Amino acid sequence: MTREILYYQDNHLTTFTSTVEECRKEDGRYALVLDRTAFYPEGGGQPCDRGFLGDLPVLHVAKGENGPVHYTAAPIEPGTDIVCRVDGVHRFDYMQQHTGQHIISSVLLNEGDWATLSVHQGEEYTSIEVESSEISEENLHRVEREVNRIINRNIPVKTLWTSEQEIEKYPLRRPPKVTGEIRLVQIDGVDCVPCGGIHTSTTGEVGLVLYLGQEKIRGHVRTLWKIGERAYYLAKINQQILSQLGSKYSVPSGELLERLELQDREIFAREGELLKAKEELLDFHLHNLRSQIDRKGILTATVQVNDKKFLQNAALMLLEEGCSLLALVNRQGEDLQWIIGAAENSTFEFSQFKSNILPMINGKGGGRGPLWQGKGDSTKDLEGFFQALRDSCGV
Ligand SMILES: [Zn+2]
């Protein structure tokens, strides 16, 4: 039976001595009850403490009938005196999360009657689901500002015990979930709520609260918060990123957005100019090809165009304009792209020439009339390729 619950007496106590009262095997682990403990068991939305019993890491702490139950991987003989250490960084982090949540929940209620429905204290951030389907960002920024004002006022966080009969005397934010003796946590002028968790000693110990954003869940708004040192580190990292971006773009960080918007507009304008220049270049190539069509409407030509769609677009356009047979090759070094096109009324049969002409350019590909296309990787006999095509028409 645990005689002394130390975490309610001193929320900053992390090292203490104790005697093992009970030790039993449970599901492959050992469940220990100490005569006094500062280890907070999981409950009330707050995770349990971490730390060591002697040299044994504490795997979990749960509420038990005889007091908090500490789980370890090895046993300790009952009656043994041990030195116990609570992970103070982890404990303080969750004291900040928990007390910060009290303050945020009370401000949400006072500012807009947005009652807290559920709370999750995660490893990254704390979320608070509220009884509302919509809250504006402006309102939540106002809540954030008021929460930080309360933190700066450094108001004591007091705890007191009362009974079910006496509880009506207190201005509670929500009714108690337990009966009998009830523990109240009170921040004068801010919040009063039944709670068995561990809190900071003053609102000032919460340090800082940053509103991260909101999401919708079950038709309610869930607000997301960075609390305590987590908020400080987020602000620090963001400041470093802004500072680096400011150096990169040679502007104060406050002018970064304006600078990047200007850059976006410049890029958009340049892309427009580039597109126009590309279209003009393609028009030039197309014009050049038209001038090479012979009297019989046959065209064989080589181009160098950095646009994979050019051959197909050009071939379709030239056939439509009256070209009867064409073979175009787009050269990119030794690699080449080829296309052969024939007018609808043409008697040209690609299948009859495929095996003769494609080897001349080491080509592959095929298709269905009026267009056949593919790739190749030899330009040595390009003239032979073109001539073979002309020969096919008896030219
Ligand atoms: Zn609490």
Side-chain angles (χ1 to χ4, degrees):
M1 178 80 187
T2 308
R3 276 177 284 277
E4 272 189 280
I5 297 291
L6 302 170
Y7 48 78
Y8 281 157
Q9 297 170 23
D10 180 357
N11 54 0
H12 289 283
L13 180 72
T14 53
T15 304
F16 61 100
T17 54
S18 188
T19 306
V20 177
E21 293 274 314
E22 299 172 26
C23 179
R24 61 179 190 278
K25 198 164 185 183
E26 202 178 289
D27 299 330
R29 300 185 298 182
Y30 291 88
L32 289 91
V33 176
L34 310 178
D35 74 330
R36 58 203 300 264
T37 186
F39 278 91
Y40 179 75
E42 183 178 359
Q46 205 163 353
C48 66
D49 278 327
R50 299 170 179 168
F52 288 87
L53 301 185
D55 294 331
L56 291 178
V58 173
L59 305 174
H60 185 63
V61 188
K63 284 176 183 164
E65 281 182 13
N66 293 335
V69 182
H70 311 68
Y71 290 90
T72 57
I76 304 177
E77 190 70 25
T80 308
D81 293 332
I82 48 171
V83 175
C84 308
R85 283 171 293 142
V86 171
D87 178 340
V89 174
H90 180 261
R91 156 70 73 78
F92 188 63
D93 177 27
Y94 281 96
M95 277 161 50
Q96 287 185 317
Q97 302 310 308
H98 187 70
T99 314
Q101 178 261 309
H102 274 247
I103 303 170
I104 297 165
S105 287
S106 70
V107 175
L108 282 165
L109 192 67
N110 294 339
E111 290 281 329
D113 208 21
W114 301 304
T116 294
L117 292 176
S118 72
V119 173
H120 179 68
Q121 292 176 27
E123 288 188 10
E124 291 295 320
Y125 54 82
T126 288
S127 63
I128 302 174
E129 180 187 347
V130 295
E131 197 169 22
S132 176
S133 58
E134 198 167 352
I135 308 178
S136 71
E137 287 292 286
E138 190 188 356
N139 277 332
L140 286 166
H141 286 297
R142 206 176 68 233
V143 169
E144 179 196 55
R145 200 161 53 242
E146 180 57 21
V147 166
N148 282 294
R149 280 191 191 123
I150 291 168
I151 290 170
N152 289 336
R153 281 162 58 199
N154 203 24
I155 307 166
V157 179
K158 296 187 289 194
T159 57
L160 55 112
W161 292 88
T162 187
S163 63
E164 276 177 88
Q165 293 74 32
E166 296 286 301
I167 199 123
E168 286 183 8
K169 287 200 273 178
Y170 297 93
L172 299 185
R173 173 160 53 82
R174 59 168 171 77
K177 294 172 184 166
V178 293
T179 53
E181 227 189 346
I182 297 165
R183 184 173 183 259
L184 295 183
V185 176
Q186 197 166 20
I187 303 169
D188 282 345
V190 177
D191 195 34
C192 182
V193 73
C195 185
I198 310 188
H199 309 81
T200 57
S201 306
T202 62
T203 60
E205 281 186 2
V206 175
L208 180 68
V209 163
L210 289 178
Y211 166 64
L212 295 183
Q214 58 172 298
E215 54 194 26
K216 292 280 164 60
I217 177 169
R218 299 182 283 266
H220 297 129
V221 170
R222 180 154 68 181
T223 58
L224 311 176
W225 307 87
K226 281 275 188 188
I227 300 172
E229 293 219 0
R230 298 179 186 189
Y232 163 76
Y233 284 116
L234 177 67
K236 186 74 190 159
I237 288 167
N238 286 348
Q239 173 53 34
Q240 283 172 342
I241 292 169
L242 283 175
S243 177
Q244 285 167 4
L245 284 173
S247 299
K248 182 175 162 69
Y249 291 101
S250 305
V251 290
S253 55
E255 293 171 24
L256 262 172
L257 200 58
E258 205 179 323
R259 174 74 184 80
L260 290 174
E261 279 169 357
L262 176 68
Q263 184 168 306
D264 279 352
R265 286 198 294 275
E266 285 172 358
I267 289 171
F268 186 72
R270 271 184 225 153
E271 279 174 351
E273 285 168 17
L274 199 63
L275 197 66
K276 193 161 173 265
K278 209 172 163 183
E279 282 170 1
E280 282 171 3
L281 188 65
L282 293 182
D283 272 351
F284 167 79
H285 283 296
L286 204 56
H287 180 74
N288 202 19
L289 289 174
R290 277 191 199 104
S291 69
Q292 295 177 59
I293 299 172
D294 68 13
R295 285 182 291 113
K296 293 186 175 176
I298 298 172
L299 168 66
T300 57
T302 306
V303 291
Q304 275 185 301
V305 182
N306 190 19
D307 178 355
K308 287 183 179 167
K309 292 267 176 77
F310 174 76
L311 284 194
Q312 187 169 329
N313 292 340
L316 285 171
M317 198 174 288
L318 293 169
L319 288 174
E320 202 177 301
E321 287 173 7
C323 183
S324 59
L325 181 67
L326 58 82
L328 301 175
V329 167
N330 188 14
R331 287 179 67 163
Q332 300 289 329
E334 280 299 302
D335 287 333
L336 55 85
Q337 199 191 349
W338 62 266
I339 196 162
I340 292 172
E344 272 185 29
N345 56 2
S346 164
T347 54
F348 176 77
E349 284 290 344
F350 176 73
S351 55
Q352 292 178 9
F353 302 96
K354 182 180 175 181
S355 55
N356 288 334
I357 59 174
L358 285 190
M360 294 177 182
I361 56 171
N362 205 16
K364 286 178 184 163
R368 191 187 295 174
L371 290 181
W372 300 268
Q373 53 193 314
K375 290 179 177 176
D377 60 15
S378 172
T379 56
K380 284 177 193 149
D381 202 10
L382 254 184
E383 279 311 312
F385 175 78
F386 288 143
Q387 190 55 51
L389 196 86
R390 286 178 170 277
D391 291 347
S392 73
C393 301
V395 180

